[in-house]
């Protein structure tokens, strides 16, 4: 039964045109972004879209996620139903009901149940938003309008089909249990009333559907259209690395205005669902800093839309991207607050890359404006001048082994280059870890050597802080030296060196087998090469902290846990937030070298979480975590808790 | 109006070793940096450029590789850079160094009037703090050393007012322009170069003047013009240190030992 195709057909045509125009308006802005190759490895991309968009993998990783998954899958089914509804409305001759009865019946069954599930899920979403919203500020009018529209669509769907069944005009009535249930209630109405119900329901359905469609491009529900392509175009490389920059005269570096972002960055911004998951895991946001990854993404989108006119006319944007915080603008303080921990990216259901955008904006500040917290001047000059963050003379690099017998690395003779790292060579606490690791390697008969004073900084802090120019120089020198020396296998005990050598240097064509000491020790113990003299029990309850650059950024989770279990005879105690949900110590992204000016301290937040597990020892696998926990435990007055690197825990077993 | 900043390229002295046999500086592989005080001198001239639109020139006497220091000065924002380089200038002490620099400054003042010469307080290798004053005397400039703040600068009245940082006190001094000031580290926080400036500086040519340009009497420059020479460089003997207890296992005990030792040597009053 179709109420008047003569009125509806032009209405549908107009609505579709308007929708197409709106999408064009929005997406042509996305196309203003800079180039980015996101087409390589199409198989991997299809897999990503299937897993994360259609499979809702990340959505489902949180308790309430199933609610969204239900709505999403229901939407997929109902897209067919609604397509049929609209076409049939304009061209009465076209209808799914003309299919063979069994096929139409099966479809009707799916539509009927999908509508019920969607209605229930939308209902619980409304309740959740009122009772316990996902984040403060999630109770927006927009959210309720959208939920209300979806609920209304489902209600009139049942009204329409219930009345048709009651009237006896629905051929698939036997396949529509929910609608039939309603039909029983409607059976008291006269045929004329039922007809009216159908017509009214039909028109409400039609108008709400067209309105919903046209509202999408202007709301956070744009993600209904962009989330699937966004997952397809995801970054398939390790997500902690940032793209290289080409240092060519006349170019601008970093991102200082919205059109300097790549089109994918802009697609990210219009794909944000405002779910707030990123902000509920962000260490900066959780400790009262102005940084909130959801807001950063939102501000990029707002900036893009507000500058639409200028961008279309090929003029520079008016609303600044970085500056005094206003909607559409991120403040410098916000950008400097990021620890590049990657928790936001791990949490994001639509695979938005928040952190690299922050680093790109830092690049603009450092490279184009030379505007950054004053503490960083010394850091930059120390690394550029003396290749270490403290500016200590390179000749001191091998002081840690002045009383040991350590061989220099020699290609062909030495298997592993032990890349000691700046902290391992200069930081007095971390030097003890270096010595412990050296003892372990010798005990296991590993062939290893060092570069001594020729070792340079890997440049991690430079890169994360946005000083890509200095990083680029350092990386080229390092890559050249490592190639010249014939290094193929590198061992590190710093996850930052580990990740930089392994992932970032890959962009410079250096393919190395980089291994973190947690992995090597585990392997040596499994192979029976490293035998302990005793079980280490005096460290009590050993709580393991996942470093962001080892865990989230490089997926090393099990090796350290297996080592601790073997050495202590007990599985490691766990933080509430562990594995890929681990909470940063506060030192990544160059924050190690910056004062924490606002909010509470990230390391103390993490230390308090640790103390909740009542550990005797906190076991770390990163020099920064070591420093941060050491400081935080002092501040918390809990100096009875020891902080030890995993190498030190293992070395105890050699005594 | 021109402000000229004198900078010297020095070896990064935390990394310099003295050869125990020859008693000379081991310079092999030691990176060169701009004398740290001179970085503050550059910054101060850039601030004057920002405030008054002065023309800033970096000037250095040294071997050809001192170009790197001048390129850095350009990257930081200096308008131009002049390198005074000639074998005849080599082996100079402070007398002949200031002679060469003063001559170059006079030459630079011909096309653009000189407002100010800014030098570092001293270098970290020669450490004499004599070159700045030497220039001032030769050119008849007002001599304002150890400046930690330029209070005011008035080009109409031709006056400069600065604060000098002396031991335990400050001194506010006013003088006529043109003047020569030497600056201490506290005067400012140096900036960091932007990438486009670095890239541009890398390409910019540096003016090099040799003695054919300066036409100085060869008896007044280089080794010949230097009445002082270094007869020996050596590191002072230092007594071997001593470990007092085991600070790791017994920090309180070690601290007590240290206090006792300091009191015994009268280095601490109870
Ligand atoms: C006896 C003697 C012999 C020496 N022989 C040699 C030698 O053979 N080879 C050698 O390389 N060095 C030699 N030197 C070192 C060098 O000549 C002096 O360092 C130089 O004269 C500057 O003195 P200073 O470093 O103490 O500078 P200071 O007087 O401490 O410097 C003060 C400021 O003057 C300016 N300034 C100083 N030198 C220069 C410069 N060259 N260009 C531009 N601005 C400058 C800077 O602004 C600096 O901050 C010798 C020094 C002495 C005392
Ligand atoms: S990387 Fe970490 S600190 Fe930075 S925005 Fe994401 S969650 Fe926050
Ligand atoms: S960026 Fe991702 S996680 Fe954050 S609010 Fe948007 S969709 Fe959610």
């Amino acid at each position: 039964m179709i109420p008047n195709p003569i009125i509806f057909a032009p209405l549908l045509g107009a609505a579709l045109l308007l929708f197409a125009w709106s999408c064009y308006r929005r997406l042509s802005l996305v196309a203003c972004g800079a180039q980015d190759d996101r087409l390589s490895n199409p198989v991997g991309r299809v897999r990503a879209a299937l897993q994360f968009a259609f499979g809702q993998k990340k959505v489902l990783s949180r308790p309430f996620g199933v609610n969204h998954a239900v709505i999403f899958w229901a939407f997929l089914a109902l897209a067919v139903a609604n397509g049929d509804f609209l076409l049939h409305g304009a061209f009465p001759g076209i209808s799914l009901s003309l299919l063979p009865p069994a096929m139409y019946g099966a479809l009707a069954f799916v539509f009927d149940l999908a509508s019920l599930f969607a209605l229930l899920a939308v209902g619980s979403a409304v309740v959740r938003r009122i009772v316990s919203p996902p984040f403060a500020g999630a109770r927006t009018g927009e959210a309720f309008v959208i939920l209300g529209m979806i609920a209304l669509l489902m209600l009139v769907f049942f009204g329409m089909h219930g009345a048709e069944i009651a009237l006896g005009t629905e051929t698939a009535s036997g396949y529509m249990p929910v609608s039939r249930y309603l039909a029983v209630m409607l059976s008291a109405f006269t045929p004329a009333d039922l007809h009216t119900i159908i017509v009214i329901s039909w028109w409400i359905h039609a108008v709400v559907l067209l309105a919903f469609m046209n509202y999408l491009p202007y709301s956070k529900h744009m993600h209904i259209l962009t989330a699937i392509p966004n997952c397809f175009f995801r970054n398939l490389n390790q997500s902690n690395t940032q793209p290289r920059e080409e240092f060519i005269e006349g170019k601008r570096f970093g991102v200082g205005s919205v059109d300097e972002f790549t089109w994918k960055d802009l697609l990210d911004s219009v794909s944000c669902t405002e779910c707030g998951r990123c902000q509920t895991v962000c260490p900066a946001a959780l400790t009262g800093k102005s940084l909130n990854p959801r807001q950063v993404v939102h501000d990029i989108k707002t900036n893009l839309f507000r500058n639409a006119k200028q961008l279309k006319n090929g003029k520079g944007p008016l609303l600044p991207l970085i500056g005094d915080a206003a909607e559409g603008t991120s403040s410098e303080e916000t950008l400097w607050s990021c620890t590049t921990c990657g928790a936001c990216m791990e949490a994001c259901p639509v695979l938005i890359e928040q952190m690299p955008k922050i680093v790109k904006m830092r690049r603009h500040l450092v490279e184009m404006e030379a505007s950054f917290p004053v503490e960083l001047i010394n850091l930059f000059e120390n690394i550029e001048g003396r290749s270490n963050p403290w500016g200590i003379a390179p000749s001191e690099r091998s002081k840690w082994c002045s009383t040991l017998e350590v061989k220099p690395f020699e290609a062909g003779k030495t298997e592993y280059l032990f890349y000691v790292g700046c902290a391992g060579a200069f930081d007095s606490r971390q030097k003890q870890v270096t010595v412990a690791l050296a003892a372990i390697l010798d005990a296991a008969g590993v062939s290893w050597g060092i570069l001594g004073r020729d070792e340079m900084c890997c440049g991690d802090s430079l890169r994360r802080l946005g000083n890509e120019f200095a990083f680029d120089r350092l990386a080229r020198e390092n890559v050249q030296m490592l190639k010249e020396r014939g290094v193929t296998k590198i061992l590190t005990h710093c996850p930052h060196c580990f990740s930089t050598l392994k992932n970032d240097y890959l962009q410079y064509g250096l393919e190395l087998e980089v291994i973190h000491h947690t992995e090597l020790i585990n392997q040596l113990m499994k192979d029976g090469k490293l035998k302990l003299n005793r079980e280490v029990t005096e460290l009590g309850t050993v709580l393991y902290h996942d470093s962001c650059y080892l865990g989230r950024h490089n997926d090393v989770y099990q090796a350290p846990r297996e080592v601790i279990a073997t050495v202590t005879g007990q599985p490691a105690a766990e933080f509430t937030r562990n594995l890929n949900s681990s909470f940063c110590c506060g030192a990544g992204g160059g924050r190690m070298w910056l004062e924490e000016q606002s909010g509470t301290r990230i390391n103390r937040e993490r230390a308090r979480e640790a103390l909740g597990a009542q550990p005797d020892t906190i076991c770390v696998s990163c020099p920064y975590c070591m420093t941060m926990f050491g400081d935080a435990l002092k501040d918390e007055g809990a100096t009875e808790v020891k902080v030890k690197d995993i190498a030190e825990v293992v070395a105890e077993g050699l005594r | 109006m021109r402000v000229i900043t004198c900078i010297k390229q020095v070896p990064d002295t935390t990394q310099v070793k003295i050869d125990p046999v020859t008693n000379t500086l081991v310079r092999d592989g030691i990176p060169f940096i701009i004398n740290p005080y001179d970085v503050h001198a550059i910054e101060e001239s850039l601030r004057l450029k920002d405030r008054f639109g002065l023309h800033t020139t970096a000037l250095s006497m040294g071997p050809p590789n001192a170009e790197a220091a001048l390129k850095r000065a350009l990257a930081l924002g200096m308008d131009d850079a002049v390198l005074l380089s000639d074998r005849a200038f080599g082996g100079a002490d402070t007398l002949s160094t200031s002679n060469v620099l003063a001559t170059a400054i006079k030459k630079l003042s011909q096309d653009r009037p000189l407002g100010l010469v800014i030098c570092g307080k001293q270098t970290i290798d020669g450490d004499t703090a004599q070159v700045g004053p030497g220039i001032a005397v030769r050119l008849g400039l007002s001599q304002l050393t150890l400046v930690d703040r330029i209070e005011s600068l008035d080009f109409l009245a031709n006056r400069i007012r600065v604060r000098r940082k002396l031991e335990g006190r400050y001194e506010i001094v006013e003088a006529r322009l043109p003047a020569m000031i030497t600056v201490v580290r506290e005067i400012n926080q140096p900036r960091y170069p932007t990438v486009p400036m670095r890239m541009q500086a890398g390409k910019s040519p540096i003016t090099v003047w040799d003695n054919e340009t300066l036409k100085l009497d060869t008896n007044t420059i280089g080794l010949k013009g230097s009445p002082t020479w270094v007869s020996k460089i050596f590191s002072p003997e230092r007594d071997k240190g001593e470990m007092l207890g085991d600070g790791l296992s017994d920090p309180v005990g070690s601290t007590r030992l240290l206090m006792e030792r300091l009191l015994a040597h009268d280095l601490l009053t109870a």
Side-chain angles (χ1 to χ4, degrees):
Chain A
M1 191 174 301
I2 322 112
N4 211 337
I6 312 282
I7 302 180
F8 183 66
L11 190 67
L12 175 65
L16 285 175
L17 276 179
L18 184 63
F19 174 68
W21 182 69
S22 301
C23 288
Y24 170 76
R25 267 185 70 187
R26 290 314 201 202
L27 295 178
S28 62
L29 280 174
V30 167
C32 290
Q35 268 187 326
D36 191 1
D37 175 22
R38 295 289 179 126
L39 288 172
S40 60
N41 189 359
V43 177
R45 298 191 177 282
V46 170
R47 196 180 309 128
L50 288 176
Q51 260 185 342
F52 294 99
F54 293 102
Q56 299 272 289
K57 187 169 168 194
K58 293 228 169 175
V59 174
L60 286 167
S61 69
R62 290 288 191 87
F64 206 75
V66 66
N67 205 60
H68 181 275
V70 166
I71 299 181
F72 171 76
W73 289 323
F75 258 57
L76 283 185
L78 294 177
V80 179
N82 287 324
D84 174 52
F85 173 86
L86 295 175
L87 268 180
H88 184 58
F91 309 102
I94 304 175
S95 171
L96 284 178
S97 64
L98 301 176
L99 288 171
M103 228 167 134
Y104 175 57
L107 284 174
F109 179 71
V110 171
F111 298 157
D112 199 54
L113 281 190
S115 300
L116 175 69
F117 284 128
L119 187 60
L120 293 175
V122 164
S124 39
V126 170
V127 173
R128 177 199 190 203
R129 233 157 250 272
I130 295 170
V131 178
S132 107
F135 59 92
R139 277 196 210 109
T140 57
E142 184 188 329
F144 287 115
V145 167
I146 286 282
L147 289 173
M149 277 182 158
I150 301 173
L152 194 56
L153 280 176
M154 303 306 143
L155 287 173
V156 291
F157 173 90
F158 290 128
M160 214 156 46
H161 291 280
E164 294 235 28
I165 293 170
L167 204 58
T169 50
E170 175 59 69
T171 53
S173 65
Y175 299 94
M176 304 183 83
V178 187
S179 301
R180 219 174 48 216
Y181 182 75
L182 197 73
V184 177
M185 296 198 285
L186 294 177
S187 56
F189 287 96
T190 64
D193 287 346
L194 287 174
H195 190 83
T196 315
I197 292 177
I198 293 170
V199 173
I200 293 177
S201 298
W202 196 97
W203 275 110
I204 295 178
H205 195 271
V207 170
V208 172
L209 190 58
L210 296 183
F212 182 77
M213 189 169 81
N214 276 292
Y215 184 50
L216 289 189
Y218 297 98
S219 74
K220 65 176 185 149
H221 284 77
M222 179 75 170
H223 80 266
I224 292 177
L225 304 170
T226 51
I228 297 170
N230 208 53
C231 291
F232 177 82
F233 292 125
R234 77 171 301 195
N235 181 2
L236 291 169
N237 300 324
Q238 204 60 33
S239 51
N240 67 311
T241 58
Q242 290 86 37
R244 272 183 77 170
E245 279 195 307
E246 249 186 309
F247 292 99
I248 299 174
E249 194 108 9
K251 256 190 71 168
R252 295 177 56 79
F253 308 105
V255 171
S257 71
V258 72
D259 51 333
E260 288 171 345
F261 274 121
T262 67
W263 62 266
K264 176 58 172 61
D265 287 320
L266 301 179
L267 184 66
D268 270 0
S269 78
V270 299
S271 302
C272 174
T273 71
E274 309 259 346
C275 71
R277 286 190 183 188
C278 53
Q279 79 184 60
T280 58
V281 294
C282 171
L286 290 175
T287 54
K289 314 293 189 287
S290 62
L291 169 62
N292 171 341
R294 179 186 59 82
Q295 192 65 41
V296 169
V297 175
H298 179 83
D299 283 332
I300 293 171
K301 173 171 90 172
T302 308
N303 192 287
L304 181 68
F305 290 168
R306 297 259 170 95
N307 285 314
K309 224 192 215 154
Q310 287 76 26
L311 294 174
K312 286 269 168 70
N313 298 334
K315 296 206 188 96
L318 278 182
L319 181 69
L321 184 66
I322 308 171
D324 294 333
E327 211 192 349
T329 305
S330 295
S331 74
E332 295 192 19
E333 191 192 328
T334 294
L335 301 177
W336 291 118
S337 299
C338 177
T339 70
T340 69
C341 73
C344 48
M345 298 194 287
E346 187 75 25
C348 184
V350 293
L351 310 183
I352 285 170
E353 295 146 27
Q354 300 92 330
M355 178 266 272
K357 297 185 195 1
I358 294 173
V359 174
K360 286 178 185 175
M361 290 190 271
R362 284 181 173 184
R363 284 182 180 174
H364 170 82
L365 291 174
V366 173
E367 299 183 324
M368 298 302 293
E369 316 258 339
S371 166
F372 43 75
V374 65
E375 304 95 287
L376 294 184
I377 279 224
N378 276 337
L379 178 80
F380 290 163
E381 289 185 344
N382 287 340
I383 299 184
E384 285 179 88
R386 297 181 185 168
S387 215
N388 70 80
W390 297 277
I392 300 170
S395 51
E396 313 264 293
R397 260 205 196 262
S398 35
K399 261 205 167 162
W400 66 272
C401 58
S402 53
T403 57
L404 307 172
E405 207 177 301
V406 174
K407 294 202 186 72
F409 174 86
E410 275 181 89
K413 289 191 186 161
T414 322
E415 184 179 3
Y416 284 100
L417 166 65
F418 177 16
Y419 194 88
V420 179
C422 299
F426 297 116
D427 180 278
S428 55
R429 177 67 186 87
Q430 193 64 21
K431 277 196 259 187
Q432 298 172 340
V433 177
T434 313
V435 171
L437 182 53
I440 294 170
L441 296 175
D442 286 340
V446 174
S447 149
W448 63 283
I450 59 170
L451 293 172
R453 68 161 293 166
D454 293 344
E455 186 182 297
M456 291 182 278
C457 175
C458 69
D460 163 76
S461 289
L462 290 178
R463 189 163 227 205
R464 316 303 164 216
L465 285 165
N467 197 339
E468 185 70 8
F469 185 77
F471 171 78
D472 187 67
R473 286 189 169 181
L474 197 53
R476 283 168 198 268
E477 282 178 45
N478 263 317
V479 167
Q480 194 191 347
M481 179 185 55
L482 293 171
K483 277 184 180 163
E484 278 171 9
R485 296 283 182 104
V487 177
T488 53
K489 289 184 176 185
I490 294 198
L491 166 68
T492 74
H493 61 148
C494 170
H496 296 267
C497 301
F498 174 66
S499 197
T500 306
L501 292 166
K502 186 177 172 181
N503 305 312
D504 296 77
Y505 284 10
L506 208 55
Q507 297 172 351
Y508 290 80
L510 185 68
E511 265 184 74
L512 292 169
E513 186 185 326
V514 188
I515 189 165
H516 189 254
H517 72 317
T518 53
E519 298 173 294
L520 183 64
I521 292 173
N522 193 33
Q523 195 183 309
L524 291 170
M525 294 206 303
K526 278 188 174 164
D527 295 349
K529 288 185 184 147
L530 180 63
K531 293 195 185 67
L532 301 184
N533 300 327
R534 63 190 191 93
E535 194 168 272
V536 179
T537 50
E538 70 274 19
L539 297 177
T541 305
V542 177
L543 176 67
Y544 179 70
H545 164 80
D546 286 285
S547 139
C548 307
Y549 274 73
L550 190 61
R552 238 177 341 250
H553 288 318
N554 287 290
D555 299 323
V556 179
Y557 295 114
Q558 289 318 314
R561 289 180 165 79
E562 287 172 17
V563 170
I564 293 172
T566 312
V567 176
T568 65
Q570 298 283 335
E574 296 283 349
F575 279 89
T576 327
R577 290 177 282 191
N578 64 350
L579 302 168
N580 63 349
S581 305
S582 179
F583 189 80
C584 181
C585 71
R591 293 283 335 167
M592 175 74 185
W593 319 106
L594 289 165
E595 293 298 328
E596 236 172 296
Q597 307 279 13
S598 55
T600 53
R601 295 184 57 101
I602 295 175
N603 62 341
R604 292 188 66 172
E605 159 95 19
R606 184 60 166 170
R608 278 195 291 270
E609 186 184 345
L611 295 176
Q614 297 183 319
D616 298 297
T617 304
I618 298 175
C619 179
V620 296
S621 51
C622 168
Y624 292 166
C625 299
M626 171 79 87
T627 304
M628 294 314 256
F629 273 111
D631 290 352
L633 290 175
K634 261 180 234 146
D635 292 343
E636 294 292 322
T639 42
E640 73 285 356
V641 178
K642 291 183 275 290
V643 187
K644 288 212 176 281
D645 186 272
I646 196 159
E648 295 177 304
V649 173
V650 175
E652 289 291 319
L654 293 175
R655 288 215 289 195
Chain B
M1 188 148 319
R2 198 192 285 273
V3 47
I4 296 175
T5 308
C6 298
I7 65 172
K8 183 183 179 190
Q9 177 159 289
V10 295
D12 194 349
T13 48
T14 56
Q15 303 188 37
V16 170
K17 295 251 148 59
I18 293 168
D19 187 318
V21 183
T22 59
N23 276 338
T24 53
L25 293 182
V26 181
R27 294 200 173 196
D28 264 3
I30 303 292
F32 284 95
I33 56 172
I34 300 182
N35 178 38
Y37 292 96
D38 302 355
V39 177
H40 294 269
I42 292 173
E43 176 64 30
E44 202 54 27
S45 66
L46 291 174
R47 291 187 183 193
L48 295 179
K49 172 180 166 177
D50 293 344
R51 269 172 65 196
F52 301 105
L54 301 180
H55 186 93
T56 51
T57 302
L59 179 64
S60 184
M61 181 183 94
N65 73 15
E67 225 186 69
L70 290 170
K71 293 241 161 171
R72 177 78 176 185
L74 289 177
L76 287 166
M78 302 292 279
D79 294 306
D80 48 33
V82 179
L83 175 64
L84 310 174
S85 196
D86 194 316
R87 288 196 155 260
F89 299 153
D93 68 0
T94 59
L95 192 75
S96 70
T97 300
S98 49
N99 183 22
V100 175
L101 289 172
T103 310
I105 291 169
K106 208 188 291 171
K107 187 170 164 57
L108 281 166
S109 313
Q110 282 164 4
D111 63 334
R112 221 185 263 268
L114 180 68
L116 210 57
V117 174
I118 307 184
C119 293
K121 168 193 160 196
Q122 69 193 68
T123 60
I124 56 168
D125 62 342
D127 270 320
T128 68
Q130 291 172 356
V131 171
I135 294 170
V137 169
R138 282 167 199 275
L139 296 177
L141 309 174
S142 309
Q143 187 185 137
L144 303 165
T145 53
L146 308 177
V147 172
D148 82 340
R149 189 151 86 195
I150 295 182
E151 300 272 344
S152 66
L153 201 53
D154 184 342
F155 293 104
L156 286 179
N158 253 347
R159 299 208 70 79
I160 181 171
R161 219 171 125 91
V162 301
R163 188 171 81 172
R164 301 182 64 225
K165 184 171 187 279
L166 307 174
E167 221 156 284
R169 69 200 151 93
Y170 289 110
E171 201 176 82
I172 308 267
V173 192
E174 203 172 290
R176 70 173 164 74
L177 291 173
M180 188 293 305
I181 66 173
T182 73
V183 301
V184 296
R185 288 177 194 258
E186 292 78 5
I187 191 165
N188 55 37
Q189 167 66 55
R191 68 191 64 186
Y192 187 76
T194 65
V195 172
M197 291 290 276
R198 275 183 175 204
M199 295 175 72
Q200 204 192 332
K203 275 197 340 186
S204 309
I206 296 215
T207 311
V208 182
W209 288 346
D210 55 14
N211 201 35
E212 263 173 48
T213 317
L214 292 188
K215 298 191 173 46
L216 281 154
D217 176 353
T218 48
N219 286 316
T220 66
I221 55 171
L223 209 49
K224 272 200 232 160
S226 298
T228 39
W229 62 90
V230 180
S231 56
K232 184 178 178 187
I233 299 180
F234 61 95
S235 304
E237 290 284 326
R238 224 193 300 170
D239 291 343
K240 271 238 154 32
E242 183 192 350
M243 286 294 272
L244 295 175
D246 182 359
L248 264 186
S249 62
D250 179 21
V252 178
S254 307
T255 314
R256 183 167 301 125
L257 277 175
L258 176 65
M259 298 273 282
E260 281 165 9
R261 199 63 64 88
L262 290 172
L263 286 168
H265 285 78
D266 230 6
L267 290 166
L268 205 66
T269 40

